[in-house]
Amino acid sequence: MSNIITFYTNPMSRGRIARWMLEEVGEPYETVLLDYGTSMKAPEYLAVNPMGKVPAIKHGDTVVTEGAAICAYLADIFPDKGLAPPPASQLRGPYYRWLFFAAGPVEAAVTGKSLGLLAPEEKKTMAGYGTFDETMAALEQAVSQGPYICGEQFTAADVYVGSQIGWGMMFGSIDKRPAFVDYVGRLQSRPAAQRAREIDDAAMPPKEERHA
């Protein structure tokens, strides 16, 4: 398998999560920047991701889409980087739990709140997130057990969970609770996070060309 990873992204997208993870991994990768509505929907990229969305990575013949899946894949394919607890570790459960909690209930609840489409109280049992408040309470608990999701060990789960919380606080869809602010502050000070942010910020189009 080639060591070079092809990374498909746009700097104004969830591709920022994958960029941060790639910088944490520290292996060679090449970036393919795609534009909304044009190259992102072109046949060449739809052959990679039929959804026509980013991020995606291609590693040899393996294609991975979805931010959480990319984080999990990279942590597993490069185990020497220490970005996931060993499979037999007791920390593997919390690692999976909160990584996919953020990709499922948190993502759905935050998006629903932003669009004004949260499930009504009488139908909350039909929603995986239950209620927005219940989801935020569980998320706060997850980041309050130690410096990271898995205690003292920083993992791919922190990349994804931290990104979700950071964006939510930035756009006002997640309250700036002290536990969230402290957690995201620790993560954003990591050298890989800073490198990723600088790379994506430099790739941003001029303001007049940005999509809402």
Side-chain angles (χ1 to χ4, degrees), residues 16-173:
R16 284 181 172 257
I17 301 172
R19 171 85 71 186
W20 177 11
M21 185 65 190
L22 285 162
E23 290 296 320
E24 292 285 355
V25 168
E27 293 291 330
Y29 70 93
E30 58 184 14
T31 301
V32 177
L33 291 176
L34 300 172
D35 294 322
Y36 290 100
T38 56
S39 53
M40 210 176 288
K41 300 297 184 180
E44 293 80 9
Y45 183 63
L46 292 177
V48 175
N49 184 359
M51 288 288 288
K53 298 176 74 68
V54 291
I57 62 170
K58 189 171 184 180
H59 187 210
D61 294 328
T62 300
V63 172
V64 187
T65 66
E66 316 313 315
I70 291 170
C71 288
Y73 174 83
L74 291 172
D76 284 347
I77 208 72
F78 299 109
D80 58 307
K81 307 300 181 179
L83 292 168
S89 168
Q90 291 185 341
L91 294 174
R92 193 74 171 195
Y95 167 76
Y96 280 139
R97 176 186 181 185
W98 298 113
L99 172 60
F100 294 107
F101 179 77
V106 172
E107 169 82 10
V110 170
T111 300
K113 179 182 178 181
S114 299
L115 297 175
L117 296 173
L118 288 171
E121 177 67 23
E122 68 275 13
K123 294 184 178 180
K124 70 177 186 179
T125 57
M126 298 176 64
Y129 56 83
T131 69
F132 182 84
D133 290 342
E134 289 169 345
T135 300
M136 290 300 106
L139 185 61
E140 183 175 16
Q141 178 186 356
V143 303
S144 300
Q145 303 303 306
Y148 304 114
I149 292 293
C150 293
E152 298 296 323
Q153 181 184 3
F154 172 87
T155 67
D158 295 296
V159 173
Y160 194 85
V161 175
S163 294
Q164 289 279 30
I165 297 174
W167 284 347
M169 292 194 300
M170 181 187 304
F171 294 112
S173 54

Side-chain angles (χ1 to χ4, degrees), residues 182-205:
D182 291 346
Y183 175 65
V184 171
R186 283 192 293 275
L187 300 182
Q188 290 182 343
S189 67
R190 293 181 63 81
Q194 294 175 355
R195 288 196 304 274
R197 192 160 55 246
E198 290 170 0
I199 294 169
D200 279 326
D201 286 350
M204 291 282 282

